[in-house]
Each structure stands twice: as structure tokens, then as C-alpha cells.
Amino acid sequence: MFERLKSALGSLTQIASHTTLSKEDIDKFLWDFEISMIESDVASEAIESINANLKKKLLDTKIPRSEDRSKFVREELKAAIRETFSKTKKVDALAMMRAKMMRNKKEHVGPFIILFLGINGTGKTTTVARFARLLQKNNLSVVVACADTHRAGAIEQLTEHANRLKIKAIAQSYGSDPAAVSKDAQLYAEAHGIDVVLIDSAGRIQTSKNLMEEMAKIVRVVQPDLKIFVADSLAGNDAISQAKEFLKFTDFDAAIMTKADADVKGGGALSIAFITQRPIIYLGVGQSYDDLIPFDLEEFIDSLFE
Ligand code: GDP
């Protein structure tokens, strides 16, 4: 995963060890850095910010003359990337769910509700199923709501996943109101003492306004505790514009990047986190139920320089 971004950063730190890093060297270095970032699918807004931080650091600091120079540049680069993401919110989904589960036991506040948002084909339904599996592994009980009542096959797809995972799927017929399906799932969970409701929503792109109204209605009716945007790592700039659109209309809390296993570039996670200031909390890394791994930006930045 993310080979291009890693090798770009690796080769940049190598270049740094061979030059004196005069002002001209730094300009050339930043130029190369910018090109590598563009090639790795990092959004231009994020590149500008990292570049500005990096330039300031490199110009302001006395650069060592010794062979430690590449280490020095690596650390400055890491710090510049980190600083760029310092405003990204923190979300610990499992901790939030456990906290509500405990409250529910005492105060009957109802299940924890997660609404999954995103465009068709990004891997939303698969992610809902993998998330259900993750919750099972963490001893949380779960029900799924088939609230994509538009895409042909969506209800069967999620119901089939639910059967395999031995969990309940709440569904109505195609064309029915997604908010009503979501409410049914919430009531089912309340009646059966289930900890978490996962709502799979529609993602047709042609009628974006109706789609956003539909999402707003689900939000009004069930008041989700968490709204998670699902983005396709391979979609490049499209994923970024989708993230902006969904953020504007739904103010989602966090994102999951799917298909990271097939992503050699790696800029998508950086770009979405920077532009939305929402954290990427998990990565989809394959097609099986266990292919959902936690994502931590700090660890990701460190791993880019390994
Ligand atoms: P939806 O339309 O957003 O609900 O998308 P689906 O869940 O139906 O997924 C679309 C396709 O992407 C399916 O073929 C999935 O198997 C595939 N997919 C989803 N997540 C991943 C992932 O993390 N890695 C890979 N390689 N494929 C994935």
C-alpha cells in the first residue's frame, strides 16, 4: 500500500543528504516534493499547506552539516505533515460505542447509531458488513438497516452479509422511505437490547440534491451518534469532491477509506483528512470481513518514512 508516496518521501530525504541545503537547494527540494505529492494524489490544498510548513522549518532552522542531514530533513518533513493535520478531529468509535452501551444499561438511552454515507461503488455495503464483524469481535451486538432502497440488489447484498454474519437485517421494499427503515432498525434494537445500529444508505450520484435531502431526513429521524463517510482510495480527485459535498450537507464525523490494498499512491487519506478536518478511522484492505484495519494518522506519517 501507498508505495509511491513512501518512495517519493524516501528519495527526497536521500537527496537532502547529498546537498548543502542552501536556499536554492531548499527551493528545488520543495519543488520536487510538490511534484511527488501531486503524483501520489495528494490534493493541492494539502500540498500547499505542508509545503509552507516545511519551507518555514527548513529556512528557520540551522541545518546540520554532518551525515545526519537526511535524518534531520525526515524529521522536519514529518513535523510539517503533522502540523498540517493538527486540526483534524479525533474520533474513537469503539470507545464511543462502549460508553453509550454502558449508559444504555443504566439510563435506557437507546442503541448507538451509525449512518454510513457515500457514493455507490465506493464499498459502503461491504464496509457496513465489515464494521458489523468488527463489532462482533469487540463483543458489541449489532443490527443493520438496509436504507439504500434505490440501488437494485442493495437490500439482498446487505441481507446476505447479515445472514453470513448471523445478525439481523432490517429491510422494507425498494422505493420505501430510508428514514422509516432506519427508524425500524432503531426500534428493533431498543426492543431487543442491541448495542449498535449500522445504517447502509443510498449513494446515487445523478440526483445529488435528493440524495442529500434523504440523508438529512435519516439524520433528523434517528439522530445518529456517528456519521461515517466511505471513500474509495482509488477515486483520486472524485473522492475529494465527494467528501466536500457530503461534508457540506451532512457534516460527517469521520471517514473510512476502502480499497487501500489496491492503492499504490496513498494521497487520498491525507487529502480527505486535510480538506474535511475529519479523521480517517479505518482502512478497507481487501474483500473479506476481517479486512478492515484501524487507521491512525500519526502512525501513517511514521510509516511513510520507514
Ligand atoms: P457500495 O455500492 O458503495 O455499497 O459498494 P460495495 O460494497 O458493493 O463495493 C463495491 C465493490 O468494491 C465490491 O466489488 C467490493 O468487493 C469492492 N470493495 C469494497 N471494499 C474493498 C476493499 O477494501 N478492497 C478491495 N480490493 N475491494 C473492495
Side-chain angles (χ1 to χ4, degrees):
M1 288 190 297
F2 316 140
E3 292 79 5
R4 187 169 297 173
L5 193 55
K6 285 182 189 171
S7 82
L9 293 170
S11 58
L12 278 169
T13 48
Q14 280 312 311
I15 291 170
S17 67
H18 302 311
T19 60
T20 52
L21 286 180
S22 62
K23 170 131 186 356
E24 292 71 39
D25 287 338
I26 290 174
D27 283 342
K28 160 98 177 52
F29 176 83
L30 291 174
W31 170 252
D32 289 345
F33 175 71
E34 198 172 327
I35 301 292
S36 310
M37 293 295 106
I38 293 169
E39 285 173 353
S40 306
D41 263 3
V42 181
S44 52
E45 296 102 309
I47 301 174
E48 270 169 38
S49 169
I50 300 172
N51 233 341
N53 284 337
L54 190 56
K55 185 167 191 170
K56 195 164 168 295
K57 283 181 191 301
L58 293 179
L59 287 175
D60 284 357
T61 323
K62 195 166 176 320
I63 296 164
R65 301 176 57 155
S66 68
E67 65 281 3
D68 275 354
R69 201 180 287 127
S70 74
K71 183 165 173 253
F72 167 82
V73 171
R74 190 171 61 231
E75 291 312 313
E76 293 302 303
L77 208 48
K78 270 193 204 175
I81 299 177
R82 249 189 222 117
E83 210 167 298
T84 298
F85 295 97
S86 57
K87 291 200 212 91
T88 304
K89 293 183 181 167
K90 300 269 177 283
V91 169
D92 184 340
L94 282 172
M96 289 168 76
M97 282 180 251
R98 288 199 186 101
K100 186 155 184 193
M101 186 184 92
M102 299 310 283
R103 268 186 66 210
N104 193 26
K105 287 208 166 103
K106 288 189 208 133
E107 301 164 38
H108 306 289
V109 287
F112 192 93
I113 300 181
I114 307 182
L115 172 59
F116 289 83
L117 304 153
I119 294 299
N120 282 345
T122 51
K124 197 159 13 84
T125 306
T126 314
T127 300
V128 169
R130 287 188 294 207
F131 211 88
R133 172 92 186 109
L134 174 82
L135 300 188
Q136 288 178 318
K137 284 194 283 188
N138 283 276
N139 298 319
L140 289 154
S141 55
V142 57
V143 58
V144 292
C146 304
D148 181 355
T149 59
H150 297 273
R151 178 168 69 86
I155 296 176
E156 291 78 5
Q157 193 187 342
L158 188 55
T159 307
E160 175 63 29
H161 283 308
N163 289 342
R164 284 196 212 141
L165 292 166
K166 301 191 170 42
I167 56 176
K168 177 84 177 164
I170 304 295
Q172 293 180 13
S173 54
Y174 285 100
S176 57
D177 181 357
V181 179
S182 306
K183 188 73 196 175
D184 276 0
Q186 182 180 29
L187 294 173
Y188 180 91
E190 272 170 22
H192 294 82
I194 288 173
D195 303 320
V196 184
V197 177
L198 304 180
I199 304 172
D200 183 24
S201 65
R204 62 207 184 284
I205 201 160
Q206 302 86 342
T207 51
S208 146
K209 185 164 174 286
N210 292 346
L211 176 64
M212 295 307 165
E213 280 167 2
E214 191 174 303
M215 296 306 117
K217 187 169 177 196
I218 299 177
V219 171
R220 240 186 3 259
V221 171
V222 297
Q223 299 185 2
D225 298 276
L226 209 52
K227 288 166 279 183
I228 300 180
F229 174 69
V230 179
D232 180 338
S233 303
L234 306 178
N237 280 330
D238 277 352
I240 295 165
S241 42
Q242 289 160 14
K244 284 182 184 164
E245 176 92 351
F246 273 91
L247 185 72
K248 188 164 108 198
F249 286 99
T250 68
D251 191 28
F252 60 79
D253 306 287
I256 292 179
M257 304 287 300
T258 59
K259 309 181 195 175
D261 50 313
D263 179 18
V264 292
K265 295 181 174 176
L270 288 181
S271 305
I272 289 185
F274 176 75
I275 286 169
T276 65
Q277 295 188 359
R278 300 294 184 275
I280 311 295
I281 52 173
Y282 288 93
L283 293 180
V285 292
Q287 317 245 4
S288 86
Y289 290 129
D290 292 315
D291 287 333
L292 189 70
I293 58 170
F295 179 84
D296 178 85
L297 193 64
E298 289 285 313
E299 284 170 20
F300 175 64
I301 294 170
D302 283 338
S303 79
L304 293 176
F305 295 88
E306 268 162 13

